[in-house]
Amino acid sequence: MSAQTDGSAQIGDSAQTGDSAQTGDPALTGQSVVRLHELVFRPEGAGWIVGRAATGEFVELPDEAKTVLDVLIAGGTIGAAKSAADARHGTDLDVLEFTEALVELGFVAGVDDRTVREQDQRPPSLPFLRPGHVRFVFTRPVAAVVAVFVVFGLVIGVRHDALPTYRAFFALPEPGLNDLIGLALVAAAVAMHEFWHLAAARAAGVNAWLGWSTRLVFLVAQTTVPGLWGADRRIRLRVFFAGLVSDAVVVSACLLTAAYTGGNGLVHRLAELLCLSVLFSIFAQCYVFMRTDLYLVVQELTRCKNLYADALEHLRWLGRRWRERTRGGTAAGPDPVDALPVPERRSVRVYSAFMALGTAAALAVFGCYQLPIVISTIVRAVVEIDHATRADAPARVLDGVVALSVVAGMQAFTIRTLLRRRVSRR
């Protein structure tokens, strides 16, 4: 299957069902009293990360803006907020324009006696799950138990020669049934991976949303956690690593099962199939050029705000510059990386090179290896159904139909997700 099971935690998407812009924007004056929604503040470098956890809308603001917000939260007027900021920072701020931007971001609940209307918010996934239900899982004693279990499973797996080979993908002689059961096992592992992303966020009181998306041409499950912008680094890293830890636990459990069942029984073969599938999923997390969990870790450690988007803009600029030079022109414009904070520039440039090479390699592997396999599998399933029908072998016909349904169904779902993403970007 071409669908990759490298579910990831995302922190940049909004939780709103529509545009973040408000309807019925009120008129603002220097005497207006602005009522703000509950906002989250986190110091970041020389400024602040500010946002609404309920909507997942976060922005980076300078100290002057923080001063304005403090006055507004305290009940002061726009004029009072301007006076306070100008006096404290020695500037001449356009606080009216800034407040209008706050309305557009969805940070303003009302102005004077008027309520600002806003789009309905999409409820978080698994709303019944409370922080208290899962917070104990992320304590040091539980982490120690999990670490011991993972190491124990790996050691036993190696000692009993239980590490799966490529043959583990063919657990059953019937291709259709093998694909169907393999898909069910992988889906369960992916669901667990994403659940623990969500649980790690929920334990910290941060909402999350489960869903599907694509990376390049690959289908992925993902957990969107925009409220992480307001959490501290320890919480963010915990959420990013939660899925990988879940995968490691599954691999360890599969190795233990394979080691102690032995022989060639069904349980042994299914344990090997699941183990190999999840190992490939863990390996896929290293594709940091596709915004996997490890990409978010890299972005966090390099302290970049939007490493992928900034690198993509840099590559587009390089493409424009090359095109202009081949035409004898020089109108490529300035490198967008130069507008970033100095500590981020080197990281973005290095990552952009890695992104270009990795994306080219991934697309080449997909076009030369994975796509032909998918097409040949579909063709073989159709031929098998035809031959089985002529031979009056209903079991083989059913197996061929199952194989065709699994492979073609996954590709259809991938294409549908790609098209929906493209439409949503317009």
Side-chain angles (χ1 to χ4, degrees):
M1 295 180 293
S2 67
Q4 293 199 21
T5 56
D6 64 327
S8 58
Q10 301 297 308
I11 64 174
D13 298 330
S14 173
Q16 293 186 334
T17 57
D19 294 333
S20 61
Q22 310 297 297
T23 58
D25 294 349
L28 297 171
T29 68
Q31 299 303 313
S32 298
V33 176
V34 177
R35 301 189 309 278
L36 299 176
H37 289 287
E38 182 178 355
L39 300 179
V40 176
F41 295 87
R42 177 172 64 83
E44 179 75 13
W48 295 81
I49 298 294
V50 182
R52 280 184 69 188
T55 64
E57 196 74 60
F58 281 80
V59 293
E60 184 177 14
L61 298 174
D63 279 336
E64 295 88 337
K66 175 65 163 54
T67 301
V68 170
L69 291 172
D70 288 340
V71 175
L72 296 179
I73 291 173
T77 64
I78 292 177
K82 173 177 172 55
S83 299
D86 289 350
R88 180 172 180 178
H89 301 282
T91 56
D92 183 15
L93 297 178
D94 189 344
V95 179
L96 279 175
E97 183 178 353
F98 173 68
T99 308
E100 290 171 356
L102 295 178
V103 174
E104 292 296 320
L105 288 167
F107 291 179
V108 176
V111 177
D112 297 326
D113 59 351
R114 183 175 178 180
T115 300
V116 176
R117 292 176 296 167
E118 60 182 341
Q119 301 289 336
D120 293 335
Q121 306 303 320
R122 179 161 60 101
S125 300
L126 306 183
F128 59 85
L129 189 69
R130 305 298 180 188
H133 295 159
V134 290
R135 188 174 289 131
F136 75 95
V137 177
F138 302 96
T139 57
R140 290 183 179 179
V142 174
V145 171
V146 169
V148 170
F149 178 78
V150 169
V151 173
F152 178 70
L154 292 175
V155 171
I156 294 298
V158 171
R159 291 188 61 183
H160 287 75
D161 197 23
L163 294 176
T165 66
Y166 76 93
R167 294 184 181 85
F169 275 125
F170 310 103
L172 300 173
E174 299 82 6
L177 186 59
N178 186 81
D179 288 347
L180 183 62
I181 292 179
L183 177 62
L185 291 174
V186 170
V190 170
M192 184 178 297
H193 178 112
E194 299 304 325
F195 170 79
W196 286 112
H197 280 311
L198 182 145
R202 193 64 52 83
V206 180
N207 287 328
W209 290 261
L210 302 173
W212 294 94
S213 187
T214 54
R215 302 289 185 270
L216 294 180
V217 293
F218 306 107
L219 179 69
V220 297
Q222 72 175 22
T223 304
T224 305
V225 199
L228 279 185
W229 284 115
D232 61 40
R233 168 177 273 197
R234 179 177 58 88
I235 298 301
R236 296 198 297 274
L237 289 173
R238 175 194 295 172
V239 174
F240 299 156
F241 278 115
L244 279 169
V245 173
S246 171
D247 291 343
V249 170
V250 171
V251 167
S252 183
C254 289
L255 289 174
L256 289 171
T257 302
Y260 289 115
T261 52
N264 197 35
L266 179 61
V267 173
H268 178 86
R269 284 178 284 149
L270 292 181
E272 286 190 323
L273 171 59
L274 179 57
C275 182
L276 189 58
S277 299
V278 177
L279 283 173
F280 270 102
S281 176
I282 293 175
F283 176 75
Q285 293 293 344
C286 297
Y287 297 168
V288 294
F289 54 88
M290 294 201 304
R291 291 173 296 163
T292 60
D293 296 342
L294 289 183
Y295 156 77
L296 294 172
V297 174
V298 170
Q299 178 177 255
E300 184 66 39
L301 295 180
T302 56
R303 298 186 180 276
C304 293
K305 302 297 187 304
N306 200 339
L307 183 60
Y308 183 89
D310 292 336
L312 187 59
E313 286 300 313
H314 179 61
L315 289 175
R316 287 171 176 167
W317 174 80
L318 289 175
R320 291 194 303 270
R321 188 179 68 171
W322 175 82
R323 186 174 63 250
E324 290 298 327
R325 286 184 175 180
T326 58
R327 296 175 179 176
T330 58
D335 185 352
V337 172
D338 292 336
L340 297 175
V342 174
E344 296 185 25
R345 296 175 189 174
R346 178 180 175 83
S347 298
V348 170
R349 289 192 171 100
V350 171
Y351 177 77
S352 64
F354 187 73
M355 176 198 290
L357 294 174
T359 300
L363 291 176
V365 170
F366 173 77
C368 299
Y369 178 69
Q370 292 176 277
L371 187 59
I373 289 177
V374 170
I375 294 174
S376 63
T377 301
I378 293 175
V379 171
R380 289 175 61 186
V382 172
V383 172
E384 176 68 16
I385 293 171
D386 179 62
H387 289 172
T389 302
R390 296 174 186 273
D392 194 22
R396 288 172 54 195
V397 171
L398 179 60
D399 188 70
V401 170
V402 171
L404 181 62
S405 300
V406 171
V407 178
M410 287 298 299
Q411 303 314 309
F413 187 64
T414 301
I415 293 172
R416 176 175 176 270
T417 305
L418 279 167
L419 293 176
R420 288 184 64 183
R421 283 198 70 197
R422 182 175 294 275
V423 170
S424 67
R425 289 175 176 176
R426 293 178 178 175

